[in-house]
Amino acid sequence: MKCEKSVMAPLVLSAYTLVSALGKGLEPTYRALRDRRSGLRPCDFEDVGIKTYIGRVDGLEDSSAGCGSTAQELEQFDCRNNRLALLGLQQDRFMQAASEARDRYGAHRVAVILGTSTSGILETEHAYHERDPQTGVLPASFTSRYRYTHNMFSLAHFVRTCLNLRGPAMVISTACSSSAKAFATASRFIETGFCDAAIVGGVDSLCLTTLYGFSSLELMSSDPCRPCDEDRDGLTLGEAAGFALLEKADRAEHSGAVALLGYGESCDGYHMSHPHPEGAGAIRAMHDALRRSGLTPGDIDYINLHGTATRANDSIEDKAVSSVFDLSTPCSSTKGWTGHTLGAAGITEAVIAAMCLTHSFVPGTLNTTRVDPNLRSYVLLENREQPVRRVLSNIFGFGGNNCSMILGTL
Amino acid sequence: MRLYVNGIGMIGPGLVGWRDHQAVLTGTSPYRETMRPEPVASILPPNERRRSSDIVRWAVHVAQEAIEQAQVNPREVATVFASSCGETDVLNRLCTALATPQRVISPTLFHHSVHNAAAGYWGIATGSQQSSTALSCYDSSLCAALLDAAAYVHIEGGLVLLVAYDLPPPLPLYATRPLREGFAAAFVLAETPGQHSLVQLDLSLSDDLSLNVTSMEEAGLETLRSTNPAARSLPLLAAIAGHRATPVCLEYLEYQRLSIRVTPCRS
């Protein structure tokens, strides 16, 4: 049996950044949230013929992961996912913050724990087009770089190489919950002393596998997604790279710094792609996050929903949220801005939560016109100015893998 | 950091089950690498078993063996699944379909392509709602999983089931990662000793690269160890099978070692 655990020591996000369809870095992200400007556009990814919208990051087709770097070793990592990763690292002085952490603790004492669901699979998709028509053999230029592009570890390998870090590293790949779970694992690594600080977050980029895959599951809307709307008809895919530097709270440079206060991880143990009908796993994750942070449901000022805009997710998440929280707790989904960034959804929404905390506002659900009357939670449709001290963020994924995080100000 | 091993599962060429084949690891029985493993994974419901990929059955097979040996309820055990490459067979089928003009892919194939497919199937088979992580750290996936599981039992308490598994990718993906043989191993890990504890493990991370990485004496086993990331667990399994205090040193990424002191809990 699990023993009762004490409240975790908060960990400060001493630097963080995000690149998504909303823009590069915190400032354009914040402006888009405040101006209620969506990053979604009609699908113009490669030659994909699906009628849908996407949250695409501009310019990834033209740049190279090695660009601007003198290190030749970075070139072998070049693929859409790592280009997006590099673009993320280059925003908001994140590389400098990581470099300072390396100087402070030593390269061996800074971990890199990141999430992705599909890594650089787009390279493999392209390589299958270029198979030898007689033998079926993949191009040699692809096979020699597989380790650095598509292999699941590629992302963390690339980031620790970029940042010249030598601490513990791994990629967590639990579908959509990947980068949320990176926070939980990193938190345990810091607490047990495997490292002093950790680069956490995740990257997922557009590819044929997810576009045609979600389409085959009939889970993708042909319009921009409308979370919690009575007429919602599916999700919109997006791509994003986000990173945070996680350290012990005594590193907080000012009161009001954003910190990870708690996390909860669970499984549905029910179905690979359909959530548990009663939301049992989701309820467990939220309860665990509250217990670990030492907070009660009434302490949460805002809930950033997983809110994918599929019929099943939004109604089951609503059941779970309304069974844990008071029905007056404001909730919203920000997927209408960014799309569902899959393995990067955890860090995407952690960074949005940090903005709510530092800018005292709550985003209302974008694209939604009428909240499904069957939902019991208090779903906000308009942005609201209000003090926000603690945010709970839900992330649920395929394989019934759930993670809830609580971020707050110190 | 200290933890205890309460159950073990193992499957690979000539290593079909921990109970029957641990003597191969200590050299007291000959290694017959031509013996082909057939994972059963009887815990999977028939429908799920039919739909699942080979690699899921390998992973679930050793997970089941370890849990049964530890005599614990799997619903009380968190999991860490570690695989360098994951679902390569499913990815091959997806990428093949996506290279056709129609790009028609099966929804089942798509949701089986996630790296946490084996973890998800284990959850469905057992009904466990405990935390489950699926990770990759290329050749160091086992080490990363040991650290992840050790940190979990220390901070969260309870038990963790660690499953490391990798199969040779199918053609043409095989060229990207030519693993010659499949291998999977599972460990039920606990923070405190119990009546089923086999050994105590003392883990420490070191950046002293002069520490020699433990290899296998038997040439066939050493080939297996060095050509399958999950089989990097062989020196640890051999030390546990040896029933005497033994140091084991595993390579962790380029710049670290994971030292493990293995001490038997009973003779």
Side-chain angles (χ1 to χ4, degrees):
Chain A
M1 292 297 290
K2 294 272 173 187
C3 54
E4 277 305 310
K5 288 136 292 195
S6 54
V7 171
M8 73 172 264
L11 294 170
V12 67
L13 281 68
S14 44
Y16 50 90
T17 187
L18 179 71
V19 171
S20 73
L22 298 183
K24 295 164 189 166
L26 298 178
E27 179 57 29
T29 306
Y30 176 65
R31 290 273 37 115
L33 289 168
R34 294 309 294 253
D35 299 346
R36 298 184 62 76
R37 184 165 28 81
S38 172
L40 306 181
R41 66 175 100 184
C43 181
D44 57 356
F45 180 72
E46 296 199 339
D47 59 349
V48 170
I50 304 169
K51 187 178 180 303
T52 188
Y53 278 66
I54 54 172
R56 182 164 74 78
V57 174
D58 283 319
L60 293 177
E61 294 77 15
D62 308 322
S63 66
S64 161
C67 259
S69 164
T70 52
Q72 217 173 3
E73 64 176 328
L74 292 183
E75 286 180 12
Q76 64 197 348
F77 290 97
D78 187 33
C79 64
R80 187 179 185 89
N81 211 53
N82 289 334
R83 288 178 185 183
L84 183 49
L86 183 66
L87 203 54
L89 292 173
Q90 290 168 334
Q91 310 306 317
D92 299 303
R93 297 189 75 255
F94 192 82
M95 273 184 162
Q96 287 88 334
S99 166
E100 285 157 24
R102 187 182 65 225
D103 293 344
R104 198 152 59 236
Y105 301 115
H108 284 88
R109 298 294 301 167
V110 183
V112 174
I113 299 173
L114 300 172
T116 185
S117 69
T118 51
S119 194
I121 195 171
L122 186 63
E123 293 293 306
T124 305
E125 294 169 358
H126 290 165
Y128 268 68
H129 271 290
E130 292 155 22
R131 282 168 298 173
D132 184 296
Q134 264 77 52
T135 63
V137 170
L138 294 162
S141 57
F142 160 74
T143 50
S144 63
R145 291 173 57 250
Y146 156 83
R147 172 180 185 175
Y148 305 98
T149 56
H150 180 191
N151 179 272
M152 204 46 89
F153 184 58
S154 157
L155 171 64
H157 192 179
F158 173 67
V159 168
R160 75 198 296 267
T161 305
C162 262
L163 302 178
N164 199 15
L165 294 173
R166 297 183 169 192
M170 69 175 75
V171 160
I172 293 175
S173 188
T174 49
C176 306
S177 61
S178 303
S179 60
K181 284 179 71 81
F183 278 84
T185 286
S187 165
R188 288 189 283 266
F189 272 35
I190 293 170
E191 198 168 341
T192 52
F194 285 150
C195 61
D196 293 315
I199 308 294
V200 298
V203 182
D204 248 334
S205 45
L206 292 169
C207 58
L208 303 183
T209 299
T210 50
L211 282 161
Y212 285 93
F214 280 104
S215 175
S216 76
L217 285 166
E218 299 179 348
L219 290 177
M220 225 153 61
S221 177
S222 53
D223 300 310
C225 67
R226 289 167 289 173
C228 304
D229 195 288
E230 63 173 344
D231 295 325
R232 69 187 179 277
D233 60 357
L235 55 79
T236 301
L237 289 177
E239 59 188 346
F243 299 98
L245 172 62
L246 211 54
E247 300 177 85
K248 286 187 176 163
D250 55 15
R251 289 295 313 167
E253 284 171 4
H254 55 90
S255 78
V258 174
L260 175 71
L261 304 181
Y263 56 82
E265 303 159 275
S266 73
C267 280
D268 282 355
Y270 176 73
H271 190 267
M272 283 303 286
S273 58
H274 196 279
H276 187 285
E278 303 306 318
I283 291 169
R284 188 183 177 111
M286 288 185 276
H287 275 308
D288 256 25
L290 286 167
R291 182 180 47 71
R292 208 168 259 101
S293 61
L295 298 171
T296 62
D299 295 324
I300 300 299
D301 300 313
Y302 162 60
I303 298 169
N304 187 289
L305 299 168
H306 187 47
T308 59
T310 65
R311 300 297 310 178
N313 176 84
D314 293 4
S315 65
I316 292 170
E317 183 175 15
D318 173 72
K319 261 190 212 178
V321 165
S322 60
S323 79
V324 175
F325 291 92
D326 188 280
L327 296 181
S328 64
T329 310
C331 306
S332 71
S333 162
T334 45
K335 298 281 199 292
W337 272 275
T338 60
H340 189 353
T341 60
L342 303 179
I347 184 68
T348 298
E349 285 154 35
V351 169
I352 290 174
M355 287 180 180
C356 298
L357 294 162
T358 52
H359 294 281
S360 300
F361 88 107
V362 172
T365 309
L366 194 62
N367 304 334
T368 299
T369 50
R370 183 163 184 261
V371 175
D372 183 343
N374 296 313
L375 305 184
R376 298 179 65 217
S377 313
Y378 178 29
V379 179
L380 286 181
L381 293 189
E382 296 301 327
N383 288 8
R384 179 194 274 188
E385 311 285 326
Q386 65 165 70
V388 183
R389 290 183 56 223
R390 291 162 192 128
V391 179
L392 178 131
S393 177
N394 279 336
I395 307 286
F396 310 133
F398 273 7
N401 203 295
N402 313 300
C403 190
S404 296
M405 283 197 280
I406 298 175
L407 296 175
T409 42
L410 292 178
Chain B
M1 178 173 297
R2 177 165 293 178
L3 61 162
Y4 295 85
V5 178
N6 291 3
I8 294 176
M10 171 176 81
I11 191 166
L15 298 167
V16 189
W18 171 250
R19 273 191 212 287
D20 294 343
H21 288 89
Q22 55 179 298
V24 174
L25 300 175
T26 56
T28 45
S29 290
Y31 177 48
R32 301 185 202 284
E33 56 196 295
T34 51
M35 185 190 284
R36 308 315 299 172
E38 282 293 333
V40 180
S42 62
I43 195 169
L44 286 173
N47 271 347
E48 309 294 344
R49 193 159 175 277
R50 198 178 61 249
R51 281 199 290 242
S52 62
S53 62
D54 280 353
I55 198 169
V56 165
R57 287 191 294 274
W58 280 63
V60 169
H61 180 91
V62 291
Q64 183 177 356
E65 185 187 356
I67 284 287
E68 286 171 0
Q69 193 187 345
Q71 297 181 38
V72 288
N73 180 349
R75 291 182 178 223
E76 292 173 5
V77 183
T79 62
V80 175
F81 282 74
S83 177
S84 166
C85 303
E87 298 287 330
T88 51
D89 184 47
V90 176
L91 294 172
N92 174 50
R93 290 156 68 191
L94 275 178
C95 289
T96 303
L98 289 170
T100 64
Q102 300 77 22
R103 295 182 180 169
V104 175
I105 63 178
S106 117
T108 308
L109 202 59
F110 174 58
H111 71 225
H112 285 183
S113 70
V114 293
H115 197 70
N116 59 316
Y121 268 106
W122 176 256
I124 293 166
T126 60
S128 172
Q129 294 182 344
Q130 303 282 348
S131 167
S132 173
T133 295
L135 63 84
S136 171
C137 189
Y138 206 63
D139 280 340
S140 299
S141 297
L142 171 78
C143 272
L146 280 167
L147 292 180
D148 196 27
Y152 192 95
V153 295
H154 273 266
I155 303 298
E156 320 292 357
L159 298 165
V160 172
L161 167 68
L162 184 167
V163 185
Y165 58 104
D166 267 301
L167 288 189
L171 290 171
L173 270 184
Y174 183 81
T176 64
R177 192 72 162 128
L179 310 180
R180 292 187 11 192
E181 300 283 356
F183 191 80
F187 303 84
V188 175
L189 301 166
E191 185 191 14
T192 51
Q195 65 173 121
H196 297 290
S197 296
L198 304 168
V199 292
Q200 169 187 311
L201 305 180
D202 289 284
L203 268 58
S204 58
L205 263 183
S206 169
D207 50 11
D208 178 2
L209 298 184
S210 69
L211 293 170
N212 285 326
V213 174
T214 313
S215 54
M216 300 300 289
E217 268 182 37
E218 210 284 331
L221 291 172
E222 175 57 14
T223 302
L224 180 60
R225 183 196 75 84
S226 59
T227 54
N228 182 310
R232 300 251 177 149
S233 57
L234 281 171
L236 176 59
L237 291 163
I240 297 170
H243 297 294
R244 59 192 162 81
T246 313
V248 174
C249 180
L250 304 176
E251 197 171 16
Y252 183 41
L253 298 162
E254 298 89 340
Y255 304 110
Q256 294 201 60
R257 297 281 185 267
L258 179 61
S259 293
I260 308 173
R261 203 168 65 238
V262 180
T263 313
C265 288
R266 52 176 191 264
S267 54

